[in-house]
């Protein structure tokens, strides 16, 4: 009887955490609002839908910059700029928590890894000739909208340039 109860509790515990929302530095993607961020963090800069938090307040070594991205008052992304020498630390930590989708980690050169959980995609991008890397948590739907918008802007720029030739 006790073994069955322990099994049920363990199953509920694992189920709860497997369906838990994705959080980074205490911010939950798609759940937290601008009001939550204002209450819990020191904001260095508010630029519309992108707010920059004070990086020295974040208890992770090597954080250079923290941006929180909003859409309709809810957090859709958190963009961290971190010292690049911490790539392996972040890769291992994220790999232990999220499903690895893609990795490109050469001995020398650009390093990249992408992870997913439910409706959130997480990536680490460490350019070879940079001292910093990006660690980004973003809602999948928002990222798709952002990518579509960026591609449209690139195409419009290309068209304008071609008109000049």
């Amino acid at each position: 009887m006790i073994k069955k109860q322990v099994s049920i509790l363990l199953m509920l515990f694992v189920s709860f955490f497997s369906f838990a929302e994705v959080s980074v530095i205490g911010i939950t993607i798609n759940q937290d609002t601008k009001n939550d961020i204002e209450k819990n963090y020191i904001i260095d800069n508010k630029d519309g839908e992108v707010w920059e938090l004070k990086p020295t307040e974040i208890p992770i070594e090597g954080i250079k910059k923290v941006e929180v991205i909003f859409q309709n008052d809810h957090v859709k992304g958190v963009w961290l700029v971190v010292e690049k020498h911490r790539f392996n630390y972040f890769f291992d930590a994220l790999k232990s928590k999220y499903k690895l989708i893609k990795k490109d980690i050469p001995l020398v050169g650009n390093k990249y890894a992408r992870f997913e959980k439910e409706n959130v995609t997480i990536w680490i991008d460490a350019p070879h000739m940079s001292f910093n890397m990006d660690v980004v948590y973003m809602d999948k739907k928002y990222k798709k909208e952002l990518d579509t918008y960026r591609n449209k802007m690139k195409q419009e720029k290309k068209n304008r340039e071609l008109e000049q030739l």
Side-chain angles (χ1 to χ4, degrees):
M1 180 70 171
I2 291 177
K3 188 175 181 181
K4 186 175 181 180
Q5 288 175 338
V6 169
S7 295
I8 290 170
L9 285 174
L10 183 60
M11 187 174 70
L12 289 172
F13 180 78
V14 170
S15 295
F16 173 77
F17 283 102
S18 66
F19 292 108
E21 294 293 329
V22 176
S23 295
V24 58
I25 63 169
I27 299 172
T28 304
I29 306 298
N30 291 320
Q31 183 176 317
D32 284 344
T33 64
K34 288 181 178 180
N35 192 36
D36 296 325
I37 303 306
E38 282 183 311
K39 280 194 265 182
N40 296 311
Y41 297 90
I42 297 172
I43 300 164
D44 273 351
N45 186 22
K46 290 182 185 179
D47 186 14
E49 297 296 295
V50 179
W51 292 4
E52 191 172 329
L53 306 183
K54 188 173 188 99
T56 56
E57 298 295 313
I58 307 304
I60 298 175
E61 179 187 330
I63 297 283
K64 300 280 191 169
K65 187 176 184 178
V66 179
E67 291 181 338
V68 181
I69 304 161
F70 299 94
Q71 185 180 52
N72 300 327
D73 199 46
H74 283 85
V75 174
K76 292 297 175 179
V78 176
W79 198 297
L80 306 173
V81 177
V82 184
E83 294 172 354
K84 188 171 79 174
H85 70 85
R86 305 227 46 221
F87 183 90
N88 291 336
Y89 171 81
F90 277 89
F91 177 80
D92 291 340
L94 293 171
K95 187 177 172 191
S96 72
K97 289 181 72 174
Y98 306 109
K99 181 180 177 185
L100 177 64
I101 303 300
K102 180 180 180 182
K103 74 174 184 174
D104 183 13
I105 307 175
L107 196 54
V108 176
N110 299 334
K111 295 181 180 182
Y112 177 84
R114 184 166 49 96
F115 306 85
E116 287 184 354
K117 181 172 182 186
E118 295 173 14
N119 58 347
V120 176
T121 186
I122 302 132
W123 69 90
I124 312 171
D125 186 15
H128 175 61
M129 298 301 286
S130 175
F131 293 108
N132 298 321
M133 66 179 183
D134 296 324
V135 179
V136 184
Y137 289 66
M138 191 171 288
D139 173 77
K140 285 182 190 177
K141 184 178 175 187
Y142 180 82
K143 182 176 183 336
K144 187 175 181 180
E145 291 171 7
L146 188 61
D147 290 345
T148 299
Y149 175 77
R150 286 181 176 165
N151 289 337
K152 180 182 173 189
M153 291 297 107
K154 283 181 187 177
Q155 187 60 46
E156 287 178 5
K157 180 182 178 197
K158 183 179 176 181
N159 291 344
R160 283 191 306 274
E161 288 175 351
L162 287 173
E163 289 174 3
Q164 301 301 316
L165 300 177

